[in-house]
Amino acid sequence: VTGPDYDVVIVGSGFAGSLIGSKLAAAGLRLAIVEAGLADEDERDHRRALREAFAGSAAGEIFAPYSGLLSNDGNEPARRHYVHDDQGNDRFGGEYLGLAGGSGRAWLGTALRLCPSDFRLRTLYGQGRDWPIAYRDLEPWYCRAESELGVAGSPEVDLELAAKRTSPYPMAPLPQSFSDQVVARAVDGMTFDDQPVVVAPTPQARNSLDGYDGRQVCEGYASCVPLCPVGAKYDPLVHLRRALLSGADLFTGTVAISLSSGPDRRITGLKVRKPDGLTVELRARLFVVAANGIQSPMLLLRSRDQSAAGVANCSGQVGRNLMDHPEKHSCAILPQPVFGHRGPQSTSGIETLRDGAFRRRRGAFRTALRNDGWRVVNRAPYGDPTGTLPQHGTVLDLIRSKGLFGAQLKAALQSLGPRQFALQSMVEMLPDPENRVTLSLETGLFDLQQPRIHFSLGDYARQGIQAAAQFHARVFHKLGSGDGETHIHLTSDPCAQDAAGSHLMGTTVMGDDPSTSVVDSHCCAHDHPNLMIVGSSVFPTGAAANPTLTISALALRAAEHVLQRLPML
Ligand SMILES: Cc1cc2nc3c(=O)[nH]c(=O)nc-3n(C[C@H](O)[C@H](O)[C@H](O)COP(=O)(O)OP(=O)(O)OC[C@H]3O[C@@H](n4cnc5c(N)ncnc54)[C@H](O)[C@@H]3O)c2cc1C
Ligand code: SF4
C-alpha cells in the first residue's frame, strides 16, 4: 500500500488557487496545482506573444490579446461557453479566462474591501443572507491580502463605510486623474438617496512605489485591462511562481474532471485529463477547489460516484445563488477637455453609495470614474462596426453619419476625444436559489460539459441599476453636459444592465448550517472532511464591491486553517 501522491491538490491557479498554493508550498507541503489552461514557461516570451496577439487581433473585445490562448476551443470568449435558459438583457454575461493565473491575467486591479454592513444584509436590511463571519473576522486577512497583492490606496475609502483598518495600505494612492478632480469639484456637497457623494482614490493592486515586491511603478499606459505591459499591476502569476519555487508541481493543460469519494465521505482522488488525453487520478490528503464561481460547482456536480447530486451537495445548494455585479454605463461629452487615457483606466470612484437605508428596497452601487474616454461604452474612438452600440462621438459616427473627412474630421476628433467621459456603476444583486448553474449535455470550454445557466437579475438589482442611471444623469448635469450629448441607457430598458461584471459569486455558498450552505466559514465543505472550496463562489451576498480582495483574504485565511488542520487529516 502506498500513501497519497500529495498532501494537497488544488484545482485552479487564479487568485484563490495561487495564493493558497504559495502559502502551503512555503510551509513544506507536497502540493500539486491542476490548471486546465496553458502556462507561459518564459515571461519574456509570454509578453512578446501577448503583444503579437494583441496587435494582430481583429476583435475589439476585452480579451482580444488572450483570445488565441483560451485552451481547446480557440478564439471563443468564455461567455459563449454557456447554455442559456434565458434571453434578453437580464441574462448572465460573466466571463472568465482559462489560463494559468485565471482571470487575474486581465483584471483591472481594483482592490476594495467589503464594508461591515455587507456581512449583515439580512440583519440590517431584511434582504439576502448574513455571512457567517463579520468584517472584524476578515479585517486582519484584508491587511495581509493588501500586502501580498501590493495595494495602493487611501484609508478614507474604508472609513467612509465604517470599515476600520488595523494597518495602513502598503502604498500611497495612485494620483487621481485630471477628470477625477473635475468631477470631485462638480459633485462637492452633492447627496444622493441621503448619502454624501464623495470622490475618493480607488484602492488598486498596482505599484505607486517603484520596486514594491520587485515590481515597477505604474507608468500610466491605460491598458490595464487586458494587460499591463510593464508588470506594475499585480497578477496571480506572482504567487503561482512562488508556489513553484517552493516546490509545488503545476500541471497545466490538465483538466479536473471529477472528484472521487469513499463511503466515509472522504474525498479519495481527483480524476484529471492530461494534455495527451489520458485520464489519471491524483490522490491527496486534502483537495482544494479554486476553479471560480462557474467551474467549481461544475466540478462538484460532475462528481457523482457516491451521489447523483454530486459532491458537497447534501444541501442541494451547489450551483445555486449565482450572482454577478450588473453594470450601468453612461457616457457624456463634457464642455471642457478632461484628457483621459493618462494613468490607469480608473483611478477614483464613489464608494459612499455602497451602503445606506435604501438597501431595504434596492441594490447599492459603486461608481467608477472612467479614465479612458468612452472605450468601455462604445469602443471609442473607433466605434462598433456591428452598429449595436451608440455611435455618437466615435470615428465611425463622424465619418458615416456626419460625412466628415480631412481637416474637418481631424478637428472634430480633436474636439470630441479629450471631452469624452464615462461613469461605470456596478450594482448589488441578491442571492436567489433559482439563479443556478447546472450541467448541460453540450460540450464546451476544456472539452467539458457546458454550464447551463438559469439567471434573472431580480427587482432589487433592477431598481439599483435604475438608481445608478439617475445618479449618472445628475452627475453629468453638474458637469454641464447637455442632454443630447449624454447616453444614459445603452439598452432600451432603463433597469437593464449594460454589461456584466464578471464577478462569479454565490454557487457554493458559505454558512453555519449544513442544510442551507455548502462550506463553513473557513471554506471547508460541510459534507466532506478533506475538501475545501475557495473563491467568490462561497460569497453569501455580493455587495457592491469588486470581489477579488475578499477572495484573496478568504484564501489566505483558508491557507492558515489548512496548516492548523492538516496534521489531523
Ligand atoms: C476583464 C475583467 C476585469 C476584472 N477586474 C476586476 C477588478 O478590477 N477587481 C476585482 O476585484 N475583480 C475583477 N475581476 C474579477 C476577477 O478577475 C475574479 O474575481 C478573479 O479572477 C477570480 O479568481 P479565482 O481564482 O476565484 O478564479 P479564476 O481567476 O477564474 O481562476 C480559476 C482557474 O481555474 C481554472 N479551471 C477552471 N476549471 C478547471 C478545471 N475543471 N480543471 C482545471 N482547472 C480549471 C481556470 O483555467 C482558471 O485558471 C475582473 C474580471 C474580468 C474578466
Ligand atoms: S496604467 Fe499602464 S503601467 Fe499602470 S497598471 Fe495600467 S497598464 Fe500597467
Side-chain angles (χ1 to χ4, degrees):
V1 179
T2 55
D5 307 316
Y6 291 99
D7 292 317
V8 182
V9 167
I10 299 176
V11 181
S13 66
F15 285 90
S18 291
L19 277 165
I20 202 167
S22 70
K23 297 298 163 198
L24 299 187
L29 298 184
R30 289 173 304 147
L31 179 78
I33 301 177
V34 174
E35 170 53 57
L38 302 177
D40 331 293
E41 299 304 335
D42 181 273
E43 185 69 7
R44 285 164 306 163
D45 285 352
H46 161 60
R47 294 207 180 275
R48 193 176 310 128
L50 289 183
R51 278 200 304 273
E52 283 164 11
F54 191 37
S57 171
E61 49 95 16
I62 53 172
F63 292 145
Y66 294 106
S67 54
L69 299 176
L70 276 177
S71 39
N72 299 338
D73 285 73
N75 292 324
E76 293 291 301
R79 94 186 95 168
R80 287 177 216 135
H81 294 285
Y82 302 134
V83 175
H84 287 275
D85 280 351
D86 328 278
Q87 299 298 324
N89 292 328
D90 255 17
R91 99 182 193 170
F92 186 76
E95 299 179 339
Y96 54 91
L97 286 174
L99 282 177
S103 294
R105 299 289 289 281
W107 78 317
L108 177 57
T110 302
L112 291 163
R113 296 177 173 207
L114 299 185
C115 69
S117 306
D118 293 336
F119 294 84
R120 304 177 65 222
L121 197 67
R122 165 65 51 187
T123 301
L124 294 176
Y125 303 116
Q127 296 285 359
R129 292 178 177 227
D130 284 349
W131 290 50
I133 51 173
Y135 173 81
R136 67 176 172 280
D137 298 317
L138 210 50
E139 201 284 332
W141 301 100
Y142 274 135
C143 293
R144 287 209 202 174
E146 285 161 351
S147 155
E148 296 281 349
L149 270 55
V151 179
S154 155
E156 68 185 280
V157 168
D158 306 298
L159 298 178
E160 280 163 1
L161 294 164
K164 288 191 186 137
R165 306 179 54 87
T166 53
S167 296
Y169 280 101
M171 285 178 280
L174 272 293
Q176 291 180 280
S177 71
F178 179 68
S179 54
D180 295 345
Q181 296 170 43
V182 170
V183 178
R185 280 194 296 274
V187 301
D188 190 27
M190 178 179 168
T191 58
F192 186 80
D193 240 343
D194 297 330
Q195 296 301 119
V197 175
V198 180
V199 172
T202 300
Q204 42 197 297
R206 56 175 53 77
N207 277 18
S208 65
L209 184 69
D210 206 13
Y212 183 90
D213 217 8
R215 296 192 292 281
Q216 74 159 74
V217 73
C218 167
E219 293 187 345
Y221 294 109
S223 69
C224 329
V225 174
L227 66 95
C228 172
V230 295
K233 178 185 74 171
Y234 171 89
D235 80 48
L237 294 186
V238 169
H239 282 88
L240 185 57
R241 274 188 225 108
R242 282 181 199 164
L244 301 186
L245 286 172
S246 300
D249 289 337
L250 172 66
F251 298 103
T252 53
T254 301
V255 181
I257 305 291
S258 61
L259 292 156
S260 319
S261 52
D264 61 352
R265 294 193 166 179
R266 281 186 71 81
I267 303 296
T268 51
L270 174 74
K271 284 202 185 72
V272 300
R273 191 182 58 238
K274 298 199 304 177
D276 60 11
L278 283 179
T279 301
V280 297
E281 184 158 90
L282 295 174
R283 291 176 305 156
R285 293 159 70 197
L286 177 75
F287 295 84
V288 178
V289 177
N292 81 35
I294 300 294
Q295 290 297 344
S296 289
M298 291 292 284
L299 173 60
L300 303 177
L301 293 172
R302 280 196 303 271
S303 305
R304 295 175 154 184
D305 63 347
Q306 294 292 326
S307 161
V311 150
N313 200 15
C314 290
S315 64
Q317 292 298 308
V318 170
R320 292 187 183 271
N321 307 303
L322 176 64
M323 292 175 282
D324 192 2
H325 287 127
E327 291 183 359
K328 178 52 77 184
H329 291 256
S330 304
C331 51
I333 298 291
L334 301 186
Q336 77 276 38
V338 287
F339 306 109
H341 304 278
R342 297 177 300 170
Q345 287 158 338
S346 178
T347 46
S348 293
I350 295 160
E351 312 299 335
T352 42
L353 306 181
R354 279 169 45 197
D355 193 29
F358 55 79
R359 288 174 96 182
R360 288 195 168 279
R361 57 185 162 80
R362 67 150 174 94
F365 58 86
R366 84 168 288 261
T367 303
L369 275 49
R370 297 298 308 192
N371 191 37
D372 52 355
W374 288 6
R375 169 188 170 275
V376 158
V377 185
N378 64 3
R379 297 179 189 149
Y382 306 109
D384 168 27
T386 65
T388 52
L389 298 171
Q391 301 290 307
H392 183 77
T394 64
V395 179
L396 280 181
D397 175 50
L398 297 174
I399 298 171
R400 280 189 189 159
S401 316
K402 305 207 168 55
L404 301 184
F405 62 94
Q408 282 180 310
L409 178 60
K410 193 173 164 193
L413 283 174
Q414 280 172 341
S415 166
L416 282 178
R419 292 191 290 132
Q420 288 183 341
F421 176 68
L423 293 170
Q424 172 193 25
S425 289
M426 66 165 62
V427 180
E428 176 179 36
M429 71 176 287
L430 293 175
D432 174 355
E434 296 311 312
N435 283 346
R436 63 187 297 203
V437 186
T438 52
L439 300 172
S440 81
L441 295 176
E442 293 164 50
T443 305
L445 189 67
F446 308 139
D447 247 351
L448 295 170
Q449 277 168 285
Q450 275 184 308
R452 172 177 284 281
I453 307 265
H454 181 82
F455 187 77
S456 154
L457 288 176
D459 280 346
Y460 190 78
R462 287 171 63 81
Q463 296 304 317
I465 294 170
Q466 187 171 39
Q470 286 160 354
F471 175 64
H472 294 181
R474 284 189 52 194
V475 173
F476 288 161
H477 182 72
K478 294 252 179 205
L479 285 163
S481 169
D483 286 346
E485 293 183 322
T486 303
H487 299 269
I488 295 296
H489 307 305
L490 302 189
T491 61
S492 53
D493 176 355
C495 298
Q497 61 182 342
D498 293 320
S502 295
H503 300 158
L504 318 168
M505 302 175 287
T507 46
T508 62
V509 60
M510 173 194 278
D512 288 330
D513 181 352
S515 69
T516 56
S517 59
V518 178
V519 296
D520 68 14
S521 61
H522 287 285
C523 302
C524 300
H526 289 302
D527 302 341
H528 306 276
N530 62 337
L531 176 66
M532 297 180 86
I533 305 160
V534 288
S536 45
S537 61
V538 306
F539 288 14
T541 49
N546 314 52
T548 307
L549 190 75
T550 303
I551 294 175
S552 305
L554 286 171
L556 292 169
R557 186 170 179 263
E560 174 116 327
H561 191 66
V562 172
L563 293 175
Q564 288 166 3
R565 215 176 134 232
L566 202 68
M568 272 92 80
L569 289 176

